[in-house]
Amino acid sequence: MSNAEDAARRRRRTGPPPRLTLDTPVTYLKGVGPARAESLQRLGIRVAGDLLRHVPHRYEDASTVTPISDAAVGADVTVLGQVVATGVLPTRRGLRVFQAVIKDASGLLELAWPGQPFLERTISKGDWLLCTGQVRFHHGRRLQPREFVNLGAGDESSLEGRVLAVYPATEGLSVRWLRTLVEQHLSDLLPLVKEPLPAALLAEAGVPPLPEALRRVHKPESVADARLGRSRLAWEELLCVHLLHRRANVLARESRTGVQFANRKQLTRQLREALPFTLTNAQMRAVREIVGDLCSARRMHRLLQGDVGSGKTIVALFSAMLAMENGYQCAIMAPTELLAEQHALTAQKLLAPLGISPVLLTGRLGAKDRRVALTRMASVDPVLAIGTHALFQNDVAFAKLGLVIIDEQHRFGVEQRAALGAKGADGEPPDVLLMTATPIPRSLALTLYGDLDVSTLDERPPGRQPVTTAHRREAARDRVFSFVNTELDAGRQAYVVYPVIEASEKTDLRDATSMYEALVAGPFASRRVALLHGRLPAEERDVIMRAFRDGAIDVLVATTVIEVGIDVPNATVMIIEHPERFGLSQLHQLRGRVGRGAEQSYCILLGDVGSDAADRLQVVVNTEDGFEISRADLRMRGMGDLFGARQSGLPAFRIADPIADEALNNSARESAERMLTADPALERPENAGVRQLLTINYKRALELFQVG
Ligand code: ADP
Ligand code: MG
């Protein structure tokens, strides 16, 4: 900082304080010096108004805490007690630990803060402490507070009815200091807050106006009061995201001219007539939605989501036929060669009556076959090309590509998707259909996938046998494997899945490699067994998967590399060891490898697990509904686990949780739709507030809601 700036700053700080507004920098607030201002900045708090938007992430009151006597070792608890003793003790490593003993009506508990001897100055006998943390065993029960609040001294009655807001804190700022800061300024700041949204809109959504909501979240009279306040803020956040998505979607569609196909009902009708089954209602609906997109002048950008086995392939083929009867080419891209081959085989069978033979293009193709394939794509004939990303290498030229279909889209990166656009006919980008077998609730899909349109197959083709699923304990291991052997005796095949490839010092998990040895030497001594995992060269993996598909292998001992979507109807048993190490959606995906033929299939989750994990596994045991499972997975483990790295492209929420707040999310989406239908660019005076809200909080809003 230059001297001049420094001087100006000192003058500012010593001069008369400016009138407080929501835009007043926090450095002007009493008690906030440069160091704390910097810490506040880390929490996103720069001006006084930001402080109001810094919302407690949790509330505590006497009704939400655990009685001290119930705080069991291992449990994560919040307790409230009065300090009866304090002291600082050195550890053998020279660390100084502040300790306190608290007491409530039910008992005593020791608290310890390693490395924080200075707490001795702020925590005294008689103070009431509210602490959260895990109870450990250390010469008895002991809790190291992850978070704590000193409520000061007083008799117990002074705590009654008090709801404590617990704020997200950061280094250098305690929860307590933050609370005090908010408390000090709340009554001055609240009257400055204006409601940015039309009252009618709030009434429809059933959420309180902003000033009231902020009062409720910061100074609630009850936990329910706080929740109501929070609902407004969460709803507003969701509303903004939906406004942005919807606007982006509309603009993209307007600017995105694609091929306008006509519904000629030639190949599509022939396909319908040639099908050995009738489409499910869900399939018909999806086909209708896709046909609608393809026959409009706008470019399709749609996601088709449906559980394993919901019949996405047929829907894809209908779309392909529509493109082809219009004289265009269609490309279906699968994430692996095996899946591509499988699709080609399916397409070959179903399309033979129509006189269509798909072109397969994978990296395995010999030079001659490859040349033949490339020649067909370069001709202007309506071709159906099926392959891996090899379809989109530089030397592949489509003469008239009108539609691209991508299976298991989460395995393709953004760049690969972008490369598709470049392959269209006459510079026209092809329409795009993405398919995924990790279905998520529609409201969440609409929230997460932004400008994609979403079609959902929420119905299974009839006649599918459910997979019998069970969780078996370690004690049943021998019986489980002898059951597998009876299935093998009947000519079936089995998968045995492990969470790790090799043994490691860090865990004592059973691993695929050692268990392969053990199983070959033990229960499967007379069987043809193979080991499959991600560290094998791709070619070797491919050979093994093929051999399994062709029935040359009885048991496949594997990690999760077993491909999504691979179809081996003769495989009827799936054993999953250490099932607690997998996400529920992942277990469901794995289970989808069996139950693909006419025979009864089984999925056995094998192992001793804790009671929480056992409850979690019951979700998979009890249902085969992928939506229900992904919903449970999302509830329990959050979005990161379900989507992995892809999450980086998803909107981040500060307050809302689109899963937990599903009802709010739906209402926000509906409101957004209504608002933009009535006022697409939010130009009307009553929408000035929301416009401002958007442009302040979202950079993208500037381009999406440009004036004029
Ligand atoms: P996924 O959605 O997992 O890709 P597939 O498209 O592979 O599912 O379909 C799974 C199986 O169900 C295939 O054997 C397919 O032929 C069959 N199938 C698809 N739709 C129907 C239907 N409407 N009626 C009966 N069987 C169907
Ligand atoms: Mg599939």
Side-chain angles (χ1 to χ4, degrees):
M1 194 180 290
S2 76
N3 281 343
E5 272 173 39
D6 203 23
R9 186 189 173 110
R10 234 177 296 121
R11 238 186 346 267
R12 252 186 278 131
R13 289 186 59 82
T14 51
R19 194 168 54 84
L20 183 69
T21 71
L22 295 175
D23 297 324
T24 305
V26 285
T27 35
Y28 289 108
L29 299 180
K30 217 175 106 208
V32 182
R36 283 196 165 138
E38 216 178 293
S39 298
L40 283 170
Q41 188 146 350
R42 244 181 285 136
L43 294 172
I45 304 171
R46 288 177 184 78
V47 295
D50 295 336
L51 199 56
L52 287 178
R53 290 278 179 168
H54 189 64
V55 169
H57 60 305
R58 220 154 45 72
Y59 296 92
E60 298 290 354
D61 70 4
S63 70
T64 60
V65 301
T66 307
I68 282 177
S69 60
D70 292 353
V73 172
D76 210 285
V77 296
T78 298
V79 293
L80 174 65
Q82 195 166 24
V83 178
V84 293
T86 64
V88 173
L89 290 178
T91 64
R92 253 176 296 158
R93 290 214 208 94
L95 193 68
R96 304 212 308 143
V97 184
F98 176 71
Q99 295 192 343
V101 176
I102 57 168
K103 176 177 184 292
D104 72 2
S106 72
L108 295 169
L109 182 66
E110 183 181 300
L111 309 174
W113 286 267
Q116 302 183 49
F118 48 83
L119 286 176
E120 194 174 20
R121 293 197 296 272
T122 51
I123 297 179
S124 325
K125 246 161 92 170
D127 285 348
W128 286 88
L129 298 185
L130 184 72
C131 311
T132 299
Q134 202 179 37
V135 185
R136 303 260 164 80
F137 189 83
H138 185 267
H139 312 295
R141 291 180 308 157
R142 175 159 124 170
L143 186 137
Q144 274 185 26
R146 191 171 50 240
E147 210 172 36
F148 80 97
V149 181
N150 188 344
L151 303 175
D155 61 36
E156 198 163 359
S157 63
S158 69
L159 304 172
E160 241 164 65
R162 265 188 78 180
V163 179
L164 279 171
V166 185
Y167 290 87
T170 184
E171 217 183 303
L173 297 181
S174 68
V175 179
R176 185 182 190 190
W177 184 82
L178 267 167
R179 181 182 308 105
T180 314
L181 185 70
V182 175
E183 265 170 16
Q184 267 176 359
H185 299 285
L186 195 63
S187 55
D188 291 334
L189 290 173
L190 280 181
L192 305 174
V193 175
K194 297 226 165 45
E195 172 57 61
L197 303 175
L201 191 64
L202 300 180
E204 273 165 15
V207 294
L210 186 58
E212 180 191 331
L214 290 171
R215 200 273 303 153
R216 284 175 192 267
V217 295
H218 290 292
K219 235 179 156 20
E221 262 141 39
S222 65
V223 174
D225 193 28
R227 246 182 242 132
L228 183 60
R230 180 196 165 277
S231 75
R232 148 68 199 236
L233 303 177
W235 174 84
E236 182 187 290
E237 191 172 35
L238 290 161
L239 177 77
C240 287
V241 167
H242 285 296
L243 285 170
L244 294 174
H245 277 344
R246 201 174 159 78
R247 176 72 174 164
N249 189 325
V250 169
L251 290 183
R253 282 165 152 272
E254 280 172 1
S255 67
R256 209 162 52 195
T257 49
V259 185
Q260 181 164 9
F261 300 100
N263 191 359
R264 300 179 193 279
K265 301 198 177 164
Q266 292 159 2
L267 293 174
T268 50
R269 161 125 52 80
Q270 287 178 39
L271 175 59
R272 199 179 297 253
E273 284 163 3
L275 275 187
F277 44 74
T278 51
L279 294 182
T280 63
N281 288 328
Q283 284 171 320
M284 283 196 272
R285 191 179 57 227
V287 169
R288 253 198 323 273
E289 288 165 352
I290 292 167
V291 169
D293 286 356
L294 292 175
C295 296
S296 86
R298 289 179 251 107
R299 185 178 167 215
M300 174 166 76
H301 199 44
R302 182 172 287 275
L303 175 73
L304 174 63
Q305 57 163 356
D307 218 343
V308 185
S310 57
K312 294 185 288 295
T313 315
I314 304 298
V315 176
L317 290 181
F318 268 102
S319 325
M321 291 308 101
L322 189 97
M324 289 170 70
E325 69 187 17
N326 280 274
Y328 281 86
Q329 300 173 322
C330 171
I332 300 182
M333 175 154 83
T336 67
E337 306 201 328
L338 218 59
L339 277 174
E341 284 172 28
Q342 188 177 294
H343 278 320
L345 221 63
T346 308
Q348 184 83 50
K349 255 189 271 166
L350 289 165
L351 302 179
L354 287 64
I356 294 174
S357 167
V359 187
L360 177 67
L361 187 71
T362 67
R364 279 169 60 86
L365 235 48
K368 188 162 145 272
D369 290 338
R370 183 177 171 81
R371 228 172 11 250
V372 173
L374 293 186
T375 311
R376 281 190 67 190
M377 292 177 213
S379 79
V380 290
D381 297 341
V383 174
L384 174 60
I386 299 179
T388 53
H389 52 272
L391 280 173
F392 296 95
Q393 275 154 9
N394 286 335
D395 63 333
V396 182
F398 287 92
K400 211 165 183 284
L401 184 61
L403 171 64
V404 172
I405 299 171
I406 305 179
D407 197 13
E408 307 304 349
Q409 61 96 22
H410 61 278
R411 301 237 216 139
F412 289 102
V414 177
E415 307 94 73
Q416 278 162 318
R417 272 194 241 155
L420 303 178
K423 295 277 180 185
D426 312 325
E428 273 178 303
D431 284 36
V432 177
L433 178 67
L434 305 162
M435 303 201 286
T436 175
T438 304
I440 54 174
R442 184 178 158 78
S443 62
L444 183 62
L446 291 174
T447 313
L448 298 186
Y449 295 128
D451 61 345
L452 285 177
D453 294 307
V454 179
S455 292
T456 299
L457 299 183
D458 53 5
E459 189 182 357
R460 268 168 199 264
R464 186 72 53 78
Q465 286 220 38
V467 176
T468 302
T469 307
H471 174 211
R472 291 284 174 266
R473 302 277 169 181
E474 211 41 57
R477 172 172 294 273
D478 290 349
R479 257 178 295 143
V480 167
F481 282 103
S482 66
F483 169 74
V484 178
N485 266 319
T486 40
E487 283 290 298
L488 298 176
D489 285 340
R492 317 262 180 270
Q493 292 160 281
Y495 299 95
V496 188
V497 176
Y498 294 89
V500 289
I501 300 176
E502 280 171 352
S504 94
E505 284 175 9
K506 274 180 251 146
T507 65
D508 51 3
L509 295 177
R510 290 174 194 273
D511 63 283
T513 308
S514 348
M515 283 307 289
Y516 166 75
E517 307 287 339
L519 293 170
V520 169
F524 300 143
S526 62
R527 309 292 178 182
R528 295 166 300 174
V529 187
L531 173 66
L532 182 77
H533 58 68
R535 252 185 254 149
L536 295 176
E539 277 157 40
E540 206 170 311
R541 265 185 349 232
D542 201 63
V543 169
I544 294 170
M545 260 332 286
R546 266 165 224 282
F548 187 71
R549 179 193 65 190
D550 300 339
I553 290 172
D554 302 311
V555 180
L556 197 58
V557 176
T559 56
T560 53
V561 291
I562 317 173
E563 287 155 20
V564 175
I566 203 77
D567 211 351
V568 185
N570 191 49
T572 57
V573 188
M574 161 78 51
I575 308 289
I576 305 174
E577 296 233 42
H578 297 296
E580 76 283 4
R581 306 285 296 194
F582 299 92
L584 297 182
S585 294
Q586 212 178 2
L587 291 173
H588 179 60
Q589 288 277 358
L590 285 168
R591 172 170 60 185
R593 304 300 114 243
V594 297
R596 302 183 78 95
E599 308 299 332
Q600 173 62 53
S601 290
Y602 306 87
C603 173
I604 301 171
L605 313 174
L606 179 60
D608 290 340
V609 304
S611 63
D612 281 358
D615 287 349
R616 210 163 62 84
L617 296 180
Q618 278 309 306
V619 177
V620 177
V621 171
N622 292 339
T623 181
E624 278 195 77
D625 181 338
F627 287 96
E628 206 176 313
I629 291 168
S630 71
R631 192 184 294 252
D633 213 6
L634 287 161
R635 284 237 165 85
M636 293 187 244
R637 314 201 325 158
M639 299 198 286
D641 273 309
L642 191 55
F643 298 105
R646 200 160 54 97
Q647 210 201 353
S648 52
L650 303 175
F653 293 96
R654 273 171 59 117
I655 297 172
D657 172 344
I659 299 137
D661 297 323
E662 192 175 349
L664 276 181
N665 190 20
N666 288 334
S667 129
R669 195 182 72 245
E670 284 159 20
S671 299
E673 280 172 16
R674 267 199 308 272
M675 286 171 80
L676 291 183
T677 307
D679 183 13
L682 299 178
E683 288 164 319
R684 292 195 191 156
E686 72 265 27
N687 288 330
V690 69
R691 217 190 142 83
Q692 197 185 10
L693 199 63
L694 286 169
T695 46
I696 290 173
N697 292 315
Y698 301 90
K699 266 200 222 108
R700 264 177 80 215
L702 290 173
E703 78 191 64
L704 293 174
F705 291 98
Q706 265 168 10
V707 191

